[in-house]
Amino acid sequence: MKKTFLIAFTAALFVFAGCEKKAPSIPPTEDSSQFVNLTDAVPDAILEIRYYGTYNFVGARIDGYEQPTALLTRKAAEALKAVSDDVIAKGYRLKIYDAYRPQKGVDHFVRWAEDLQDVRMKPYFYPDLDKSVLFDQEYIMLKSGHTRGSTVDLTLFDMNLEKEVDMGGTFDWFGPESHPDFCGNPDTGEYTGDNSKSPATPKRSITPEQFANRMILRKAMLSHGFKPLSTEWWHFTLVEEPFPETYFTFPVREL
């Protein structure tokens, strides 16, 4: 990987997980007064905080995750409660992988991406990619919308089957298979089976049922004020986020 911090900063300020590239105009802050514990606002949510454990693309606990909990701005949490009520009526619960992410966590991702020798989790999260392309293809960036506090990574849990809903791919899979438009049109909900963007040989695909499951989550989130990301079926940001230019630095722990 020949990219350096100097090149990265002169080119642009990047953001992990598909967020904007411009530098924030408001200084980072430790102020957590407008945040809540996600499960206080959404008591039915199930937490599986991947960055507190070791089953994630880094393979280690991420800096800044001091407790296996999730935090959100109060406004985002209130909107997520409406989503939760919606999916509960359909027999599901929300399962949360990540919410607010402190800047030191993003910095940890950057250090990991620069260490091209550390590929211990490659078979599980990026088998089709050489690690050297993670910056160029914007899988790893210097800033994240999660750090603004109104973005959440999540899936559905089926209460009748007592297991996580099959979305056809794992959270944080680096590849087009994670895109909402993989094998279908997310705007219309139509399954097309088009797996031409998959780099695997033979190419990977998801089933009509797996695509439909992604659309259940997407529809519920969009119906209650969240916007999707074009590259991750699990990632949603509150449209009217209260801190669109503020990046927070306090750790993830119970408030």
Side-chain angles (χ1 to χ4, degrees), residues 1-241:
M1 179 73 179
K2 296 181 179 179
K3 184 180 290 292
T4 65
F5 274 119
L6 179 60
I7 294 174
F9 274 106
T10 55
L13 272 177
F14 294 119
V15 187
F16 177 73
C19 301
E20 71 270 12
K21 300 176 183 178
K22 67 179 182 179
S25 59
I26 299 175
T29 176
E30 285 275 333
D31 182 12
S32 63
S33 62
Q34 298 304 307
F35 284 70
V36 297
N37 299 314
L38 188 153
T39 49
D40 287 345
V42 190
D44 293 302
I46 301 168
L47 301 187
E48 186 183 327
I49 307 305
R50 290 285 184 88
Y51 300 139
Y52 181 78
T54 60
Y55 180 56
N56 56 59
F57 61 85
V58 174
R61 180 178 298 176
I62 303 305
D63 292 352
Y65 286 78
E66 297 183 359
Q67 293 180 332
T69 191
L71 311 176
L72 278 178
T73 62
R74 185 171 288 105
K75 188 173 183 179
E78 290 171 354
L80 195 65
K81 175 60 165 63
V83 178
S84 178
D85 292 344
D86 188 346
V87 301
I88 285 174
K90 297 178 173 66
Y92 304 105
R93 287 172 67 178
L94 298 179
K95 185 173 184 179
I96 311 300
Y97 294 128
D98 193 33
Y100 161 70
R101 182 183 307 156
Q103 182 58 45
K104 65 173 60 177
V106 180
D107 295 342
H108 191 165
F109 292 160
V110 171
R111 292 195 305 274
W112 166 82
E114 291 186 318
D115 180 3
L116 299 185
Q117 303 307 309
D118 184 355
V119 292
R120 58 189 138 159
M121 301 305 285
K122 179 179 172 63
Y124 310 104
F125 294 98
Y126 55 104
D128 303 319
L129 296 177
D130 187 283
K131 195 176 179 183
S132 65
V133 306
L134 296 184
F135 284 107
D136 289 338
Q137 296 189 19
E138 300 187 356
Y139 288 106
I140 302 296
M141 306 183 191
L142 299 182
K143 293 289 180 183
S144 170
H146 280 273
T147 311
R148 302 195 302 265
S150 295
T151 293
V152 61
D153 293 335
L154 75 173
T155 190
L156 296 173
F157 187 92
D158 190 316
M159 293 301 292
N160 294 316
L161 298 178
E162 299 183 347
K163 64 180 182 179
E164 189 174 307
V165 171
D166 184 0
M167 298 294 190
T170 187
F171 162 66
D172 264 352
W173 177 272
F174 292 1
E177 296 88 354
S178 294
H179 296 186
D181 65 356
F182 185 67
C183 288
N185 184 335
D187 295 326
T188 65
E190 177 190 8
Y191 177 80
T192 63
D194 181 7
N195 65 349
S196 59
K197 293 182 179 180
S198 176
T201 305
K203 294 185 181 300
R204 297 186 184 88
S205 186
I206 62 174
T207 67
E209 181 180 8
Q210 290 166 339
F211 181 79
N213 289 339
R214 295 183 179 191
M215 295 303 103
I216 293 171
L217 175 63
R218 181 185 179 94
K219 181 178 179 180
M221 295 297 287
L222 270 61
S223 295
H224 296 286
F226 289 87
K227 60 184 177 181
L229 185 67
S230 64
T231 55
E232 298 172 352
W233 58 260
W234 57 80
H235 176 114
F236 297 89
T237 300
L238 189 68
V239 174
E240 296 183 1
E241 59 179 312

